[in-house]
PDB file of all heavy atoms in Angstrom:
ATOM      1  N   ARG P  35       7.067  31.445 -33.354  1.00 98.00           N
ATOM      2  CA  ARG P  35       6.264  31.956 -34.472  1.00 98.00           C
ATOM      3  C   ARG P  35       6.377  33.473 -34.562  1.00 98.00           C
ATOM      4  O   ARG P  35       6.538  34.026 -35.656  1.00 98.00           O
ATOM      5  CB  ARG P  35       4.786  31.570 -34.303  1.00 98.00           C
ATOM      6  CG  ARG P  35       4.487  30.170 -34.731  1.00 98.00           C
ATOM      7  CD  ARG P  35       2.971  29.929 -34.814  1.00 98.00           C
ATOM      8  NE  ARG P  35       2.716  28.506 -34.685  1.00 98.00           N
ATOM      9  CZ  ARG P  35       1.998  27.937 -33.732  1.00 98.00           C
ATOM     10  NH1 ARG P  35       1.406  28.680 -32.811  1.00 98.00           N
ATOM     11  NH2 ARG P  35       1.828  26.644 -33.691  1.00 98.00           N
ATOM     12  N   GLN P  36       6.275  34.145 -33.425  1.00 98.00           N
ATOM     13  CA  GLN P  36       6.379  35.607 -33.418  1.00 98.00           C
ATOM     14  C   GLN P  36       7.740  36.057 -33.934  1.00 98.00           C
ATOM     15  O   GLN P  36       7.833  36.983 -34.740  1.00 98.00           O
ATOM     16  CB  GLN P  36       6.144  36.152 -32.011  1.00 98.00           C
ATOM     17  CG  GLN P  36       4.716  36.029 -31.524  1.00 98.00           C
ATOM     18  CD  GLN P  36       4.571  36.414 -30.054  1.00 98.00           C
ATOM     19  OE1 GLN P  36       5.547  36.514 -29.308  1.00 98.00           O
ATOM     20  NE2 GLN P  36       3.333  36.622 -29.621  1.00 98.00           N
ATOM     21  N   LEU P  37       8.793  35.393 -33.457  1.00 98.00           N
ATOM     22  CA  LEU P  37      10.139  35.756 -33.892  1.00 98.00           C
ATOM     23  C   LEU P  37      10.344  35.472 -35.376  1.00 98.00           C
ATOM     24  O   LEU P  37      11.013  36.236 -36.077  1.00 98.00           O
ATOM     25  CB  LEU P  37      11.191  35.040 -33.051  1.00 98.00           C
ATOM     26  CG  LEU P  37      11.305  35.514 -31.601  1.00 98.00           C
ATOM     27  CD1 LEU P  37      12.268  34.612 -30.831  1.00 98.00           C
ATOM     28  CD2 LEU P  37      11.748  36.955 -31.518  1.00 98.00           C
ATOM     29  N   SER P  38       9.757  34.386 -35.853  1.00 98.00           N
ATOM     30  CA  SER P  38       9.864  34.061 -37.277  1.00 98.00           C
ATOM     31  C   SER P  38       9.166  35.119 -38.124  1.00 98.00           C
ATOM     32  O   SER P  38       9.696  35.546 -39.157  1.00 98.00           O
ATOM     33  CB  SER P  38       9.247  32.689 -37.562  1.00 98.00           C
ATOM     34  OG  SER P  38      10.013  31.677 -36.970  1.00 98.00           O
ATOM     35  N   GLU P  39       7.981  35.556 -37.683  1.00 98.00           N
ATOM     36  CA  GLU P  39       7.273  36.617 -38.407  1.00 98.00           C
ATOM     37  C   GLU P  39       8.076  37.909 -38.386  1.00 98.00           C
ATOM     38  O   GLU P  39       8.210  38.579 -39.408  1.00 98.00           O
ATOM     39  CB  GLU P  39       5.892  36.856 -37.791  1.00 98.00           C
ATOM     40  CG  GLU P  39       4.881  35.785 -38.101  1.00 98.00           C
ATOM     41  CD  GLU P  39       3.529  36.052 -37.446  1.00 98.00           C
ATOM     42  OE1 GLU P  39       3.187  37.242 -37.234  1.00 98.00           O
ATOM     43  OE2 GLU P  39       2.820  35.074 -37.148  1.00 98.00           O
ATOM     44  N   GLU P  40       8.601  38.243 -37.217  1.00 98.00           N
ATOM     45  CA  GLU P  40       9.400  39.461 -37.096  1.00 98.00           C
ATOM     46  C   GLU P  40      10.649  39.372 -37.976  1.00 98.00           C
ATOM     47  O   GLU P  40      11.017  40.342 -38.654  1.00 98.00           O
ATOM     48  CB  GLU P  40       9.796  39.695 -35.642  1.00 98.00           C
ATOM     49  CG  GLU P  40      10.498  41.009 -35.412  1.00 98.00           C
ATOM     50  CD  GLU P  40      10.819  41.260 -33.942  1.00 98.00           C
ATOM     51  OE1 GLU P  40      10.290  40.552 -33.068  1.00 98.00           O
ATOM     52  OE2 GLU P  40      11.610  42.173 -33.686  1.00 98.00           O
ATOM     53  N   ASN P  41      11.277  38.211 -37.991  1.00 98.00           N
ATOM     54  CA  ASN P  41      12.460  38.006 -38.820  1.00 98.00           C
ATOM     55  C   ASN P  41      12.113  38.165 -40.296  1.00 98.00           C
ATOM     56  O   ASN P  41      12.843  38.824 -41.042  1.00 98.00           O
ATOM     57  CB  ASN P  41      13.058  36.625 -38.549  1.00 98.00           C
ATOM     58  CG  ASN P  41      14.371  36.422 -39.250  1.00 98.00           C
ATOM     59  OD1 ASN P  41      15.145  37.344 -39.415  1.00 98.00           O
ATOM     60  ND2 ASN P  41      14.618  35.198 -39.691  1.00 98.00           N
ATOM     61  N   ALA P  42      10.988  37.578 -40.717  1.00 98.00           N
ATOM     62  CA  ALA P  42      10.565  37.695 -42.115  1.00 98.00           C
ATOM     63  C   ALA P  42      10.285  39.155 -42.463  1.00 98.00           C
ATOM     64  O   ALA P  42      10.685  39.633 -43.538  1.00 98.00           O
ATOM     65  CB  ALA P  42       9.326  36.841 -42.363  1.00 98.00           C
ATOM     66  N   ASN P  43       9.623  39.876 -41.548  1.00 98.00           N
ATOM     67  CA  ASN P  43       9.346  41.297 -41.788  1.00 98.00           C
ATOM     68  C   ASN P  43      10.636  42.100 -41.877  1.00 98.00           C
ATOM     69  O   ASN P  43      10.772  42.979 -42.742  1.00 98.00           O
ATOM     70  CB  ASN P  43       8.448  41.868 -40.684  1.00 98.00           C
ATOM     71  CG  ASN P  43       7.042  41.327 -40.746  1.00 98.00           C
ATOM     72  OD1 ASN P  43       6.581  40.860 -41.786  1.00 98.00           O
ATOM     73  ND2 ASN P  43       6.344  41.374 -39.629  1.00 98.00           N
ATOM     74  N   LEU P  44      11.582  41.794 -40.996  1.00 98.00           N
ATOM     75  CA  LEU P  44      12.861  42.511 -41.030  1.00 98.00           C
ATOM     76  C   LEU P  44      13.645  42.192 -42.295  1.00 98.00           C
ATOM     77  O   LEU P  44      14.275  43.084 -42.882  1.00 98.00           O
ATOM     78  CB  LEU P  44      13.685  42.176 -39.787  1.00 98.00           C
ATOM     79  CG  LEU P  44      13.182  42.785 -38.478  1.00 98.00           C
ATOM     80  CD1 LEU P  44      13.952  42.215 -37.292  1.00 98.00           C
ATOM     81  CD2 LEU P  44      13.279  44.295 -38.497  1.00 98.00           C
ATOM     82  N   GLN P  45      13.606  40.939 -42.734  1.00 98.00           N
ATOM     83  CA  GLN P  45      14.299  40.582 -43.974  1.00 98.00           C
ATOM     84  C   GLN P  45      13.677  41.316 -45.163  1.00 98.00           C
ATOM     85  O   GLN P  45      14.390  41.806 -46.041  1.00 98.00           O
ATOM     86  CB  GLN P  45      14.249  39.074 -44.203  1.00 98.00           C
ATOM     87  CG  GLN P  45      15.207  38.306 -43.329  1.00 98.00           C
ATOM     88  CD  GLN P  45      15.143  36.812 -43.563  1.00 98.00           C
ATOM     89  OE1 GLN P  45      14.172  36.275 -44.084  1.00 98.00           O
ATOM     90  NE2 GLN P  45      16.191  36.112 -43.160  1.00 98.00           N
ATOM     91  N   GLU P  46      12.347  41.400 -45.174  1.00 98.00           N
ATOM     92  CA  GLU P  46      11.663  42.124 -46.240  1.00 98.00           C
ATOM     93  C   GLU P  46      12.058  43.601 -46.211  1.00 98.00           C
ATOM     94  O   GLU P  46      12.328  44.197 -47.252  1.00 98.00           O
ATOM     95  CB  GLU P  46      10.148  41.980 -46.066  1.00 98.00           C
ATOM     96  CG  GLU P  46       9.330  42.565 -47.184  1.00 98.00           C
ATOM     97  CD  GLU P  46       7.842  42.334 -46.979  1.00 98.00           C
ATOM     98  OE1 GLU P  46       7.460  41.286 -46.425  1.00 98.00           O
ATOM     99  OE2 GLU P  46       7.059  43.222 -47.363  1.00 98.00           O
ATOM    100  N   TYR P  47      12.104  44.174 -45.010  1.00 98.00           N
ATOM    101  CA  TYR P  47      12.498  45.570 -44.859  1.00 98.00           C
ATOM    102  C   TYR P  47      13.929  45.788 -45.365  1.00 98.00           C
ATOM    103  O   TYR P  47      14.197  46.756 -46.082  1.00 98.00           O
ATOM    104  CB  TYR P  47      12.370  45.991 -43.394  1.00 98.00           C
ATOM    105  CG  TYR P  47      12.864  47.371 -43.107  1.00 98.00           C
ATOM    106  CD1 TYR P  47      12.103  48.487 -43.428  1.00 98.00           C
ATOM    107  CD2 TYR P  47      14.108  47.574 -42.508  1.00 98.00           C
ATOM    108  CE1 TYR P  47      12.559  49.768 -43.166  1.00 98.00           C
ATOM    109  CE2 TYR P  47      14.567  48.849 -42.249  1.00 98.00           C
ATOM    110  CZ  TYR P  47      13.792  49.937 -42.579  1.00 98.00           C
ATOM    111  OH  TYR P  47      14.257  51.204 -42.324  1.00 98.00           O
ATOM    112  N   VAL P  48      14.828  44.877 -44.986  1.00 98.00           N
ATOM    113  CA  VAL P  48      16.228  45.004 -45.411  1.00 98.00           C
ATOM    114  C   VAL P  48      16.329  44.893 -46.932  1.00 98.00           C
ATOM    115  O   VAL P  48      17.055  45.661 -47.574  1.00 98.00           O
ATOM    116  CB  VAL P  48      17.115  43.937 -44.716  1.00 98.00           C
ATOM    117  CG1 VAL P  48      18.468  43.821 -45.381  1.00 98.00           C
ATOM    118  CG2 VAL P  48      17.272  44.275 -43.242  1.00 98.00           C
ATOM    119  N   GLU P  49      15.573  43.958 -47.528  1.00 98.00           N
ATOM    120  CA  GLU P  49      15.600  43.816 -48.986  1.00 98.00           C
ATOM    121  C   GLU P  49      15.104  45.089 -49.664  1.00 98.00           C
ATOM    122  O   GLU P  49      15.687  45.534 -50.654  1.00 98.00           O
ATOM    123  CB  GLU P  49      14.749  42.615 -49.413  1.00 98.00           C
ATOM    124  CG  GLU P  49      15.390  41.284 -49.081  1.00 98.00           C
ATOM    125  CD  GLU P  49      14.475  40.096 -49.365  1.00 98.00           C
ATOM    126  OE1 GLU P  49      13.441  40.287 -50.047  1.00 98.00           O
ATOM    127  OE2 GLU P  49      14.790  38.991 -48.906  1.00 98.00           O
ATOM    128  N   LYS P  50      14.043  45.690 -49.107  1.00 98.00           N
ATOM    129  CA  LYS P  50      13.540  46.939 -49.679  1.00 98.00           C
ATOM    130  C   LYS P  50      14.581  48.045 -49.543  1.00 98.00           C
ATOM    131  O   LYS P  50      14.775  48.838 -50.465  1.00 98.00           O
ATOM    132  CB  LYS P  50      12.234  47.358 -48.996  1.00 98.00           C
ATOM    133  CG  LYS P  50      11.047  46.531 -49.415  1.00 98.00           C
ATOM    134  CD  LYS P  50       9.783  46.977 -48.705  1.00 98.00           C
ATOM    135  CE  LYS P  50       8.596  46.104 -49.086  1.00 98.00           C
ATOM    136  NZ  LYS P  50       7.371  46.513 -48.373  1.00 98.00           N
ATOM    137  N   GLU P  51      15.230  48.106 -48.394  1.00 98.00           N
ATOM    138  CA  GLU P  51      16.264  49.119 -48.182  1.00 98.00           C
ATOM    139  C   GLU P  51      17.436  48.911 -49.141  1.00 98.00           C
ATOM    140  O   GLU P  51      17.985  49.876 -49.682  1.00 98.00           O
ATOM    141  CB  GLU P  51      16.755  49.085 -46.732  1.00 98.00           C
ATOM    142  CG  GLU P  51      15.764  49.616 -45.729  1.00 98.00           C
ATOM    143  CD  GLU P  51      15.515  51.108 -45.862  1.00 98.00           C
ATOM    144  OE1 GLU P  51      16.484  51.873 -46.025  1.00 98.00           O
ATOM    145  OE2 GLU P  51      14.341  51.501 -45.796  1.00 98.00           O
ATOM    146  N   VAL P  52      17.825  47.659 -49.353  1.00 98.00           N
ATOM    147  CA  VAL P  52      18.924  47.368 -50.272  1.00 98.00           C
ATOM    148  C   VAL P  52      18.543  47.789 -51.687  1.00 98.00           C
ATOM    149  O   VAL P  52      19.344  48.399 -52.410  1.00 98.00           O
ATOM    150  CB  VAL P  52      19.301  45.863 -50.210  1.00 98.00           C
ATOM    151  CG1 VAL P  52      20.178  45.462 -51.377  1.00 98.00           C
ATOM    152  CG2 VAL P  52      19.999  45.552 -48.904  1.00 98.00           C
ATOM    153  N   GLU P  53      17.308  47.469 -52.099  1.00 98.00           N
ATOM    154  CA  GLU P  53      16.853  47.863 -53.432  1.00 98.00           C
ATOM    155  C   GLU P  53      16.811  49.380 -53.567  1.00 98.00           C
ATOM    156  O   GLU P  53      17.200  49.921 -54.600  1.00 98.00           O
ATOM    157  CB  GLU P  53      15.475  47.252 -53.738  1.00 98.00           C
ATOM    158  CG  GLU P  53      15.518  45.773 -54.014  1.00 98.00           C
ATOM    159  CD  GLU P  53      16.450  45.412 -55.162  1.00 98.00           C
ATOM    160  OE1 GLU P  53      16.403  46.083 -56.224  1.00 98.00           O
ATOM    161  OE2 GLU P  53      17.243  44.463 -55.002  1.00 98.00           O
ATOM    162  N   GLU P  54      16.333  50.058 -52.530  1.00 98.00           N
ATOM    163  CA  GLU P  54      16.288  51.521 -52.560  1.00 98.00           C
ATOM    164  C   GLU P  54      17.703  52.094 -52.649  1.00 98.00           C
ATOM    165  O   GLU P  54      17.958  53.040 -53.388  1.00 98.00           O
ATOM    166  CB  GLU P  54      15.573  52.051 -51.313  1.00 98.00           C
ATOM    167  CG  GLU P  54      15.416  53.548 -51.281  1.00 98.00           C
ATOM    168  CD  GLU P  54      14.489  54.101 -52.346  1.00 98.00           C
ATOM    169  OE1 GLU P  54      13.661  53.340 -52.895  1.00 98.00           O
ATOM    170  OE2 GLU P  54      14.597  55.295 -52.654  1.00 98.00           O
ATOM    171  N   LYS P  55      18.631  51.489 -51.908  1.00 98.00           N
ATOM    172  CA  LYS P  55      20.023  51.946 -51.952  1.00 98.00           C
ATOM    173  C   LYS P  55      20.606  51.738 -53.350  1.00 98.00           C
ATOM    174  O   LYS P  55      21.302  52.618 -53.877  1.00 98.00           O
ATOM    175  CB  LYS P  55      20.850  51.191 -50.913  1.00 98.00           C
ATOM    176  CG  LYS P  55      22.272  51.672 -50.812  1.00 98.00           C
ATOM    177  CD  LYS P  55      23.039  50.941 -49.735  1.00 98.00           C
ATOM    178  CE  LYS P  55      24.476  51.394 -49.689  1.00 98.00           C
ATOM    179  NZ  LYS P  55      25.261  50.675 -48.693  1.00 98.00           N
ATOM    180  N   LYS P  56      20.317  50.587 -53.958  1.00 98.00           N
ATOM    181  CA  LYS P  56      20.801  50.325 -55.320  1.00 98.00           C
ATOM    182  C   LYS P  56      20.215  51.341 -56.299  1.00 98.00           C
ATOM    183  O   LYS P  56      20.926  51.859 -57.164  1.00 98.00           O
ATOM    184  CB  LYS P  56      20.426  48.917 -55.758  1.00 98.00           C
ATOM    185  CG  LYS P  56      21.237  47.818 -55.120  1.00 98.00           C
ATOM    186  CD  LYS P  56      20.768  46.462 -55.614  1.00 98.00           C
ATOM    187  CE  LYS P  56      21.487  45.324 -54.927  1.00 98.00           C
ATOM    188  NZ  LYS P  56      20.979  44.011 -55.367  1.00 98.00           N
ATOM    189  N   LYS P  57      18.917  51.613 -56.143  1.00 97.00           N
ATOM    190  CA  LYS P  57      18.249  52.564 -57.026  1.00 97.00           C
ATOM    191  C   LYS P  57      18.878  53.952 -56.879  1.00 97.00           C
ATOM    192  O   LYS P  57      19.156  54.620 -57.874  1.00 97.00           O
ATOM    193  CB  LYS P  57      16.762  52.614 -56.695  1.00 97.00           C
ATOM    194  CG  LYS P  57      15.962  53.547 -57.567  1.00 97.00           C
ATOM    195  CD  LYS P  57      14.497  53.536 -57.162  1.00 97.00           C
ATOM    196  CE  LYS P  57      13.704  54.573 -57.930  1.00 97.00           C
ATOM    197  NZ  LYS P  57      12.320  54.652 -57.472  1.00 97.00           N
ATOM    198  N   LEU P  58      19.091  54.367 -55.634  1.00 97.00           N
ATOM    199  CA  LEU P  58      19.715  55.674 -55.406  1.00 97.00           C
ATOM    200  C   LEU P  58      21.142  55.715 -55.946  1.00 97.00           C
ATOM    201  O   LEU P  58      21.579  56.731 -56.491  1.00 97.00           O
ATOM    202  CB  LEU P  58      19.694  56.007 -53.915  1.00 97.00           C
ATOM    203  CG  LEU P  58      18.315  56.330 -53.336  1.00 97.00           C
ATOM    204  CD1 LEU P  58      18.404  56.434 -51.814  1.00 97.00           C
ATOM    205  CD2 LEU P  58      17.756  57.611 -53.927  1.00 97.00           C
TER     206      LEU P  58
END
Side-chain angles (χ1 to χ4, degrees):
R35 279 192 203 119
Q36 290 172 345
L37 290 173
S38 292
E39 286 179 29
E40 186 177 347
N41 187 34
N43 290 338
L44 288 171
Q45 284 180 340
E46 186 178 326
Y47 175 78
V48 166
E49 287 174 13
K50 285 180 182 179
E51 288 292 316
V52 166
E53 287 303 314
E54 183 67 20
K55 185 178 178 182
K56 286 179 184 177
K57 181 180 174 185
L58 289 171

